[in-house]
Amino acid sequence: MIHKLLIANRGEICCRVIKTAKRMGILTVAVYSDVDQDALHVSLADEAVYLGPAPSKQSYLCADKIIEIALQVGADAIHPGYGFLSENAEFARLCEQNNIIFVGPPIGAIEAMGSKSAAKNIMQKAKVPLVPGYHGDEQSLDILKSHADAMGYPVLLKAAAGGGGKGMRQVWQASEFKTALEAAKREAMSSFNDDLMLVEKYLTQPRHIEIQVFCDQHGNGVYLFERDCSIQRRHQKVVEEAPAPGLTDDLRQQMGEAALKAAKAINYVGAGTVEFLLDVDERFYFMEMNTRLQVEHPVTEFITGQDLVEWQIRVANNEPLPLHQKQLTINGHAFEARVYAEDPDNDFLPSTGRLTLLRAPAESAYVRIDTGVQQGDEVSVYYDPMLAKLIVWDMDRSKALARLHLALAQYHIEGVTTNLAFLNKLTQLEDFKQANIDTGFIEKHQTQLAQYSGAQSSTLVPMAALALMLKRQQHKSVAQQDQYSPWSANNTWRANETYSETFDLLVNNESHQVCITQSENKHQLQFNINYQNQSFLCTGVINQQALISTINGHKTSLPFCAHDLGYTLCHPSGLVRFSAVAADLGLSEDNNQHHNFAAPMNGTVVAILVQKNESVVAGQSLIVIEAMKMEHAIKATKAGKVTEFYFKVGELVDGGAELLAFDTEE
Ligand code: ADP
């Protein structure tokens, strides 16, 4: 029996595991790095133990240290979450050697699925359908290319050790094969220290459908249906749903049974996910098996009414599975939207900063938020930039989608750039509503998705002006303490005249002129705000958290915060950043623009792609920076040549640092 569980992870998944463990009466132990000492996962756990410096290699990836801590605190089990050590067979072995239960599959199963090519060999033997391709050991250019030529283009090159979309390249014609192979190998080598490649037929319009499987130590196995994870950027999921729209019961059963066959082939135990590609002709192909809990497991929990972490703990306790296949049913529809600190307008580059405002929609039977951050937290370069998962449920897809839209409009984050507005826009697209989805959805709808033009409403400017006036009154009342003096009165009293003022204010980086007349009212300040020849009668109150305004009789309450660069109001259509100072506050998107060859953020140089003085064309990638587990290529804006690289591969760079010197071709 597990009495004390150490969670070898951080952030939302650690918090999520703690919740279930507590409900089951299990004591919890968190571990934390230097930058996480005040993190949510630390405060939620019964105990927390310091692990090491911020970089994961010195903290969350230190298998030895984690085992040592588990022994020291008397934890009898370790839950690895996902990422970090969750699919590390060596770590599972260390647990076993120290008599600690590893809440995950047997070592052999992790090893079997650790390499995409080895996994494919096993699945081929088990007669699970595979994407046509080559997954052997012969790795010469000629052999790999001859397989690609034989299966026909396009093909996909994939790193056998791959994950996170790294080491993957599409090849559309034979002439591109050599360059693509070199690039994929280089990326695989730097990411996984292993450049074994496989070649697959590239399906041009597939859906990513994965099956949740669960097996116990008594030979029982079930599948908890599927998740559609086709909405991806950089081959990584951003929106998932369950069940997969339009999947027939027959196909669901076929895929479920194939997934179980895959699990049985490696004597699987615990939670696992078998990923398939579903082609337009309804044929499905095994892609890989993830031997852990997936990020998107909550959608399965919503539609099945089960707690998968509880299942994991029960299985680890050697109990039989809580339900048989026949007892499992699908109820309603669920979506998960991953909220990332990233900039959709800048190639989804991760964003860092302090969360000056964080307002999530209220949780209910329909809305669930899994997060590991709180207002005031710093989003650093060290870990994955996912801030939260917003999960919604309702009786059918369209109702659930309406819940998702509402919840996204109620989700507000300031301090880092997020993908919230992008998610909102994406899920409002007609094709998404109609479930016309495949893995190329985001690319296909790029133009529409890029058209997001910020918060929209005719009353935004009057509202911002009102907020500024109210803030000013607040300052006055704090500054002037003589309550009997007319000069400190919190109203509009002026000797012999009505007070009127014209000023410029900056709203989402655009300048607007407003004329404000204050009128006397014993109980409340009233402002007549004239903007673009329209008159708005405004009253309101403001505090640290919200602006409650009535504009021409329409009363609303919007989250509000003050920060170093001005103020932000959270309108359902987007953030409204404003200030009375008519200067460049750096609040606009321009702020994100950096010198062409400056590091966009703190990170590590992972590749230099061209030689010094080699001629390059406009758009060609020159150097690659990795930060927050994502790569960002710095490209030539014009044709020319690099005359100097200021950093070497492996070196750390500060955000804003010049990376190279470039001579433009005349
Ligand atoms: P990783 O482990 O790096 O995440 P996967 O093998 O899981 O890589 O693939 C990630 C995504 O790449 C898939 O969800 C799918 O969108 C795309 N993909 C993978 N293989 C193929 C293929 N053969 N044809 C088309 N798309 C593919």
Side-chain angles (χ1 to χ4, degrees):
M1 272 287 279
I2 299 173
H3 298 286
K4 199 171 194 181
L5 178 69
L6 183 147
I7 301 102
N9 215 300
R10 64 180 300 282
E12 70 87 17
I13 190 59
C14 184
C15 298
R16 192 258 163 274
V17 173
I18 290 174
K19 278 183 196 155
T20 293
K22 284 194 166 177
R23 190 172 52 70
M24 294 174 76
I26 297 170
L27 285 170
T28 53
V29 184
V31 286
Y32 62 93
S33 72
D34 275 336
V35 289
D36 276 347
Q37 41 186 318
D38 297 319
L40 192 59
H41 78 274
V42 173
S43 60
L44 283 184
D46 296 301
E47 287 174 59
V49 184
Y50 173 70
L51 198 50
S56 342
K57 276 192 185 139
Q58 296 171 54
S59 49
Y60 298 102
L61 285 171
C62 284
D64 288 340
K65 269 196 211 167
I66 291 171
I67 298 283
E68 202 180 295
I69 292 170
L71 293 172
Q72 177 198 320
V73 299
D76 37 32
I78 295 183
H79 193 302
Y82 54 74
F84 295 129
L85 296 166
S86 61
E87 291 177 287
N88 184 314
E90 215 33 61
F91 181 62
R93 189 168 286 121
L94 271 179
C95 288
E96 191 180 87
Q97 286 165 357
N98 287 281
N99 284 325
I100 298 167
I101 300 170
F102 176 73
V103 184
I107 299 161
I110 304 178
E111 279 170 346
M113 292 296 121
S115 153
K116 287 185 205 279
S117 47
K120 287 195 153 188
N121 285 326
I122 296 172
M123 293 307 145
Q124 195 164 36
K125 281 195 195 116
K127 301 210 162 32
V128 178
L130 301 182
V131 186
Y134 172 73
H135 40 92
D137 291 336
E138 290 281 357
Q139 290 288 305
S140 71
L141 169 67
D142 289 347
I143 301 263
L144 291 176
K145 186 164 177 300
S146 68
H147 283 286
D149 292 344
M151 74 182 88
Y153 292 87
V155 300
L156 186 68
L157 292 167
K158 260 190 204 180
K166 285 183 190 158
M168 245 164 35
R169 284 287 183 289
Q170 298 160 16
V171 192
W172 291 87
Q173 54 204 25
S175 60
E176 294 168 2
F177 192 89
K178 183 170 178 283
T179 330
L181 180 67
E182 282 165 4
K185 273 182 177 271
R186 193 176 47 238
E187 204 171 281
M189 202 61 202
S190 77
S191 301
F192 317 110
N193 211 17
D194 178 353
D195 64 0
L196 187 74
M197 285 286 148
L198 39 119
V199 190
E200 274 179 12
K201 179 82 196 145
Y202 183 67
L203 308 180
T204 48
Q205 273 186 298
R207 285 165 70 183
H208 173 123
I209 305 233
E210 58 183 36
I211 309 285
Q212 176 71 57
V213 293
F214 238 104
C215 302
D216 62 18
Q217 302 183 44
H218 306 276
N220 304 307
V222 296
Y223 60 90
L224 291 98
F225 314 108
E226 77 284 356
R227 296 182 283 260
D228 190 320
C229 311
S230 301
I231 306 297
Q232 307 180 343
R233 46 114 184 76
R234 297 168 176 256
H235 295 301
Q236 293 299 295
K237 305 157 187 170
V238 262
V239 180
E240 300 98 344
E241 61 184 296
L247 201 74
T248 61
D249 286 343
D250 185 41
L251 193 51
R252 173 170 297 123
Q253 189 179 345
Q254 280 181 48
M255 293 180 82
E257 283 168 5
L260 267 184
K261 203 152 66 170
K264 294 254 160 79
I266 54 165
N267 298 319
Y268 201 75
V269 173
T273 295
V274 183
E275 296 190 331
F276 293 106
L277 287 177
L278 179 66
D279 208 353
V280 274
D281 60 4
E282 302 235 308
R283 289 215 289 204
F284 62 90
Y285 305 99
F286 170 85
M287 209 166 21
E288 66 171 348
M289 179 167 183
N290 291 322
T291 54
R292 53 170 162 79
L293 194 68
Q294 299 268 98
V295 177
E296 58 276 19
H297 74 276
V299 290
T300 303
E301 296 188 318
F302 252 144
I303 62 156
T304 58
Q306 303 302 312
D307 178 332
L308 298 191
V309 174
E310 180 181 338
W311 280 45
Q312 285 191 296
I313 293 174
R314 286 195 189 205
V315 166
N317 269 336
N318 205 9
E319 291 176 39
L321 290 179
L323 295 176
H324 300 293
Q325 191 67 56
K326 286 211 172 75
Q327 294 170 298
L328 285 161
T329 48
I330 297 178
N331 179 28
H333 199 98
F335 285 100
E336 174 181 279
R338 300 189 189 189
V339 181
Y340 278 102
E342 67 180 19
D343 186 0
D345 294 330
N346 191 10
D347 205 16
F348 301 99
L349 186 69
S351 158
T352 54
R354 188 169 294 281
L355 300 170
T356 44
L357 180 143
L358 177 60
R359 222 55 68 77
E363 289 194 81
S364 67
Y366 301 95
V367 177
R368 165 176 165 182
I369 315 275
D370 281 14
T371 187
V373 293
Q374 315 170 80
Q375 186 165 303
D377 280 0
E378 184 82 29
V379 180
S380 72
V381 289
Y382 298 107
Y383 313 114
D384 187 274
M386 191 173 77
L387 299 173
K389 304 185 307 204
L390 167 63
I391 312 111
V392 298
W393 175 91
D394 210 321
M395 285 310 293
D396 59 40
R397 190 177 191 271
S398 60
K399 288 198 180 90
L401 192 51
R403 297 257 177 214
L404 181 63
H405 292 152
L406 189 62
L408 281 169
Q410 293 169 342
Y411 217 133
H412 307 293
I413 296 175
E414 178 60 298
V416 293
T417 309
T418 74
N419 65 341
L420 276 167
F422 175 83
L423 289 170
N424 213 340
K425 180 95 187 165
L426 187 154
T427 54
Q428 305 260 12
L429 291 176
E430 201 47 38
D431 270 345
F432 188 81
K433 289 185 186 161
Q434 299 300 328
N436 291 327
I437 50 177
D438 60 60
T439 57
F441 186 91
I442 289 180
E443 255 180 345
K444 210 176 298 169
H445 294 84
Q446 224 160 22
T447 330
Q448 282 162 288
L449 287 167
Q451 275 164 7
Y452 178 72
S453 48
Q456 302 284 329
S457 162
S458 60
T459 55
L460 290 185
V461 172
M463 221 180 254
L466 172 67
L468 280 172
M469 294 309 289
L470 293 171
K471 268 321 255 189
R472 201 152 79 175
Q473 293 295 335
Q474 251 179 13
H475 285 146
K476 268 192 202 163
S477 69
V478 172
Q480 300 172 342
Q481 295 297 330
D482 179 0
Q483 55 176 315
Y484 301 109
S485 158
W487 308 111
S488 63
N490 225 356
N491 58 25
T492 55
W493 185 85
R494 289 287 180 289
N496 303 324
E497 61 177 315
T498 330
Y499 171 64
S500 187
E501 183 183 357
T502 297
F503 67 92
D504 287 326
L505 90 164
L506 208 61
V507 180
N508 284 344
N509 218 39
E510 267 181 35
S511 183
H512 300 267
Q513 196 173 65
V514 292
C515 175
I516 301 183
T517 312
Q518 288 188 198
S519 50
E520 256 188 69
N521 181 320
K522 270 189 189 157
H523 307 293
Q524 208 173 14
L525 289 171
Q526 270 189 18
F527 303 91
N528 198 315
I529 300 179
N530 205 293
Y531 169 60
Q532 290 184 339
N533 296 325
Q534 278 188 60
S535 179
F536 299 85
L537 189 63
C538 308
T539 59
V541 284
I542 200 158
N543 60 30
Q544 307 278 35
Q545 309 278 326
L547 167 72
I548 301 163
S549 65
T550 307
I551 298 184
N552 289 343
H554 187 174
K555 189 165 180 164
T556 53
S557 171
L558 297 184
F560 166 84
C561 75
H563 45 78
D564 292 350
L565 302 169
Y567 301 104
T568 300
L569 266 174
C570 306
H571 192 263
S573 62
L575 295 183
V576 187
R577 289 159 175 161
F578 62 97
S579 158
V581 187
D584 180 4
L585 296 183
L587 282 170
S588 70
E589 286 175 7
D590 289 351
N591 192 37
N592 292 329
Q593 281 181 4
H594 38 78
H595 190 280
N596 288 337
F597 306 112
M601 60 195 312
N602 296 351
T604 312
V605 176
V606 291
I608 289 178
L609 305 176
V610 296
Q611 302 288 328
K612 226 167 102 173
N613 296 322
E614 171 188 337
S615 292
V616 299
V617 294
Q620 190 169 343
S621 297
L622 306 173
I623 183 165
V624 183
I625 307 294
E626 189 197 78
M628 296 166 101
K629 295 169 71 191
M630 307 247 275
E631 289 193 356
H632 185 75
I634 311 294
K635 295 178 178 167
T637 45
K638 294 190 173 140
K641 61 185 180 206
V642 178
T643 53
E644 197 66 63
F645 282 104
Y646 300 133
F647 293 90
K648 294 196 200 77
V649 170
E651 281 186 338
L652 291 172
V653 291
D654 289 333
E658 276 299 295
L659 296 168
L660 52 93
F662 193 84
D663 263 2
T664 317
E665 217 170 66
E666 289 309 315

